[in-house]
Amino acid sequence: MNILGIESSCDETAAAVVTRPGRVLSSVVASQMDRHQVYGGVVPELAARSHLEALRPVLTAAVAESGLGWGDLDAVAVTQGPGLSSSLLMGMGAARALAERLSVPLIPVHHMEGHLLSFFLSPGAPKPENACPMLVLLVTGGHTALIRMDGPGHYAVLGRSIDDAAGEALDKGARLLGLAYPGGPEIERLAEEGNAGAVAFPKGQPDSEAACQRGGALPFSFSGLKTALRYYREANPDTPAADVAASYQSAVMGALAARADQALKREDGILGLACVGGVAKNRFLRGALEEVTRRHGVALHTVPMDYCTDNAAMIALVPLLRDVPAASSPPAVHPNLQLRGLILR
Ligand code: KG4
Ligand code: ZN
């Protein structure tokens, strides 16, 4: 079973070929980051046009690098949402045309489910039946959630952000510090030279008793932290930016690790914790989660760096790990496809 994956939900044009049980034969990502950087964020029209230009060479490279021919592909999996509608449409258009031309099924995939399962792309990853039940900390530019996974397709959201996502807090925080987009890696770089204890930012989450009890929500909140950064900068312009960045990063990552800790305390039978999405690249966060999982005696599953940020290997992987119905008629894109739509139990 060889699946061609296509991802175009934001500013990365990606294609990959993945084969059973989850071996990546090729994964090609063309980033448009340079084009958007001057605007300080992603410009939808520019993104769509860039996808249109990049899709053909990226698809051709992915199939060539896989060592397979077009005729060896058994299905095309494509991101249906969430994302920018005009960007999603470009990938969907290419996927529809290819599936039709190759006479293979077209499988629409939820972008977040791709991220959720992405750690199974690690060469040393355990099989799902040996890794679950587990917790997944999903931290991207648009979403922050803590999910209990009892197996591929069996997800329960334990908590999510009630305002900004962690990646968004980093991107907005970086802008306040005069750093480039995307802000996460910029803050990480600057923080290396700074003192994380220099500024006492708020913890970035309401600490509720209910959180520790089974069934209570485990919410994240980052917008107050961003506001605290703005006020701090205005009142203390002379504090070295590296110290501010290190303290801010520590507050964001500390809030994520604290929620993971609470979830591990209250959920029964958890075998491990995975951290997925663009923010999972962050070394400070990886260190904090290592400490939490060590304390609880459970495994920490990390995602190879290339598969943390948007890629198509994670999209192709989803139908290899669970039965995702192929589209019976040409599928539409869903820019606001909710995480809720993923909750299958
Ligand atoms: O998963 P992703 O590529 O796209 C979405 O689906 O949103 O995540 C992008 C996010 C951005 O907010 C970016 O600032 C953040 O991931 N990011 C990082 C790092 N690399 C990317 N955050 C912290 N540390 C990093 N090294
Ligand atoms: Zn993503």
Side-chain angles (χ1 to χ4, degrees):
M1 184 78 169
N2 305 313
I3 307 228
L4 173 69
I6 301 177
E7 153 64 35
S8 71
S9 64
C10 191
D11 58 346
E12 259 102 26
T13 315
V17 180
V18 182
T19 193
R20 215 178 272 289
R23 195 159 63 86
V24 181
L25 299 182
S26 66
S27 177
V28 179
V29 180
S31 175
Q32 315 167 1
M33 220 173 279
D34 302 356
R35 296 187 180 190
H36 299 283
Q37 232 156 17
V38 285
Y39 302 101
V42 178
V43 182
E45 291 77 8
L46 189 55
R49 216 173 325 126
S50 307
H51 285 306
L52 192 59
E53 281 167 31
L55 269 162
R56 196 186 172 95
V58 164
L59 282 160
T60 309
V63 176
E65 286 174 24
S66 74
L68 303 177
W70 292 99
D72 299 319
L73 301 172
D74 299 300
V76 177
V78 62
T79 302
Q80 183 174 33
L84 299 168
S85 61
S86 48
S87 289
L88 289 164
L89 272 171
M90 294 298 157
M92 182 60 82
R96 279 171 58 171
L98 272 173
E100 176 98 20
R101 174 78 182 81
L102 300 171
S103 302
V104 295
L106 175 57
I107 304 171
V109 171
H110 194 301
H111 180 80
M112 291 305 153
E113 187 169 21
H115 277 300
L116 266 187
L117 297 175
S118 62
F119 88 91
F120 287 116
L121 291 167
S122 318
K127 288 188 174 143
E129 56 271 32
N130 297 328
C132 297
M134 62 182 294
L135 296 179
V136 189
L137 179 62
L138 170 75
V139 272
T140 72
H143 289 81
T144 296
L146 197 51
I147 289 157
R148 181 189 165 107
M149 174 157 79
D150 286 302
H154 298 273
Y155 316 114
V157 175
L158 304 179
R160 67 177 78 205
S161 179
I162 55 171
D163 42 55
D164 292 352
E168 195 178 351
L170 293 167
D171 293 337
K172 289 177 176 171
R175 200 191 286 202
L176 289 170
L177 290 170
L179 303 172
Y181 171 85
E186 293 293 315
I187 287 188
E188 180 170 34
R189 215 166 295 132
L190 185 58
E192 268 161 34
E193 301 148 26
N195 169 12
V199 187
F201 283 117
K203 290 247 185 303
Q205 59 178 340
D207 261 328
S208 64
E209 262 301 300
C212 296
Q213 287 153 20
R214 213 183 143 77
L218 289 164
F220 298 88
S221 168
F222 292 105
S223 70
L225 188 55
K226 173 194 65 195
T227 310
L229 172 64
R230 171 177 298 138
Y231 288 146
Y232 183 85
R233 278 301 269 175
E234 282 167 14
N236 305 277
D238 297 331
T239 306
D243 285 351
V244 182
S247 305
Y248 187 73
Q249 172 178 263
S250 165
V252 173
M253 304 312 167
L256 295 172
R259 281 292 185 237
D261 184 43
Q262 286 174 321
L264 282 168
K265 263 189 207 132
R266 69 170 220 192
E267 290 294 308
D268 299 327
I270 297 294
L271 301 179
L273 170 75
C275 185
V276 304
V279 182
K281 277 188 164 175
N282 190 275
R283 285 189 298 274
F284 189 99
L285 177 59
R286 287 182 179 219
L289 295 178
E290 246 162 48
E291 202 200 303
V292 169
T293 48
R294 196 174 330 116
R295 232 179 316 116
H296 286 275
V298 299
L300 174 64
H301 305 292
T302 49
V303 183
M305 289 290 184
D306 287 349
Y307 303 136
C308 286
T309 34
D310 290 347
N311 65 87
M314 66 182 194
I315 302 302
L317 179 69
V318 174
L320 288 170
L321 291 186
R322 76 171 181 95
D323 237 347
V324 188
S328 50
S329 56
V333 296
H334 289 292
N336 293 318
L337 198 56
Q338 295 293 314
L339 212 51
R340 217 179 307 130
L342 256 188
I343 308 312
L344 305 178
R345 73 163 191 120

